[in-house]
Amino acid sequence: MHPATLPDARLAELIRSSPKAELHVHIEGTLEPELSFALARRNGLTLPYADVPALRAAYAFDDLQSFLDLYYAGCEVLRTEQDFFDLAWAYFQRAAADHVVRVEPFFDPQSHTARGIGFEVFMPGLLRASRRARDELGISCGWILSFLRHLSQDDALRTLDAAAPWREHLVGVGLDSAELDNPPGRFQRVFAAARRAGLHVVAHAGEEGPPDYVREALDLLGVERIDHGVRASEDEALLERLARERVALTVCPLSNVRLRVFPAMHQHNLPLLLERGLRVTVNSDDPAYFGGYVNDNYLAVFQAHPRLGPRQAHELLRNSLEASFADAGEIRAWVARLDALWQAAAGAPA
Ligand code: ADE
Ligand code: ZN
């Protein structure tokens, strides 16, 4: 199915042009500095930065919290339906350039409702963008409502209630924000309610938090995928379980390096997770803040790890499609397209 070896440039081009799914991207994390300034101007707001380079220069993070402080402050410019449309449409166009055929973006309602911006403002904007992405770019989209774990379960329950009129437009719920001291177990009731409503469930776990948080997300929340999950490598029994149960991990290499989960890309454990038989996928998390979209993430990790080759690239791409919450028929068609492309590459002269 895959050529055993390929020159680096050919492999990079094959990765870039392959159909892929992006299963871990926060739509608020796709807000590029240029759009921040444009929206601030449109909404009569003044950003506390002189210009785009000054804002970009502020994107130097020590850890997850130092990033989240900027990320939530960045949301201030999102005020109107048109703002949310512009944000999401810019992302979908960028994703299409990376040959993303399926995306399951997170959105954080509580970072907007807390500012007085309701579902009736952001949902129509996000949905208008995803409909246009489907019609004009051929991108299939399933929105994931993500609860902020630094807030209470009651706040999350109110958010789930407020989302009820939009239920048919959601594919699932997730859990994000500051992980340390906010274990998944605090959100059991709201995740149970989401599951009863027929939603898929995922959670960030094992990004900065310990391997036990990954276990809690599986056992207490019933999640179907783990977002990040890289710290699972510290726990042998958990690694074996994740491999055995075929739990997908949505790994975000550039994010992990920028938030200092790993000191450098060549120290990232993605190759080890793959070797241990885990169902790893590659994603961008907050591409406007971490220096790259999904293809940049693939290429960064392949460049830093010579032991990753065509076999691993094909596996990661296929995992992304198969771990999505899209219809089985859609997934089959994308995997067939992926395999046909790789078959042709295997037959082509090097
Ligand atoms: N919200 C946006 N990006 C996040 C991340 N990497 N971890 C937790 N919460 C987030
Ligand atoms: Zn994330």
Side-chain angles (χ1 to χ4, degrees), residues 69-260:
D69 293 342
L70 248 81
Y71 166 88
Y72 294 127
C75 288
E76 286 289 331
V77 299
L78 297 165
R79 298 283 169 105
T80 66
E81 187 267 0
Q82 185 67 40
D83 297 342
F84 286 92
F85 170 83
D86 290 345
L87 170 72
W89 179 238
Y91 166 71
F92 287 124
Q93 289 173 284
R94 188 63 190 71
D98 280 2
H99 298 265
V100 170
V101 293
R102 168 74 177 180
V103 56
E104 296 179 1
F106 296 117
F107 65 107
D108 287 343
Q110 290 152 297
S111 58
H112 311 306
T113 52
R115 304 180 289 118
I117 313 288
F119 276 79
E120 73 288 354
V121 176
F122 54 79
M123 286 313 302
L126 298 178
L127 295 175
R128 183 155 65 90
S130 53
R131 273 194 300 270
R132 185 167 172 190
R134 181 196 62 205
D135 295 344
E136 295 184 19
L137 305 172
I139 292 181
S140 159
C141 174
W143 291 100
I144 300 182
L145 182 164
S146 197
F147 303 114
L148 300 183
R149 71 200 308 159
H150 68 272
L151 301 178
S152 68
Q153 173 159 249
D154 283 345
D155 206 296
L157 282 162
R158 281 192 291 276
T159 303
L160 187 61
D161 272 352
W166 309 94
R167 163 66 191 90
E168 65 176 297
H169 301 290
L170 304 179
V171 76
V173 300
L175 185 66
D176 64 5
S177 193
E179 187 181 8
L180 291 172
D181 300 325
N182 292 311
R186 278 215 296 122
F187 295 89
Q188 277 186 74
R189 281 197 295 135
V190 71
F191 270 69
R195 288 202 315 267
R196 279 197 303 276
L199 290 160
H200 289 285
V201 293
V202 298
H204 285 52
E207 178 186 18
E208 279 193 344
D212 266 347
Y213 283 16
V214 175
R215 242 186 228 103
E216 270 191 32
L218 294 169
D219 294 336
L220 303 182
L221 304 187
V223 300
E224 300 158 79
R225 297 195 300 243
I226 295 285
D227 296 313
H228 294 293
V230 290
R231 286 199 56 197
S233 65
E234 296 167 26
D235 185 320
E236 183 58 32
L238 180 60
L239 272 184
E240 285 169 16
R241 174 180 178 185
L242 291 169
R244 193 173 56 246
E245 296 180 5
R246 304 290 297 141
V247 178
L249 302 191
T250 63
V251 175
C252 307
L254 286 171
S255 164
N256 292 153
V257 174
R258 292 293 285 266
L259 300 187
R260 306 199 187 181

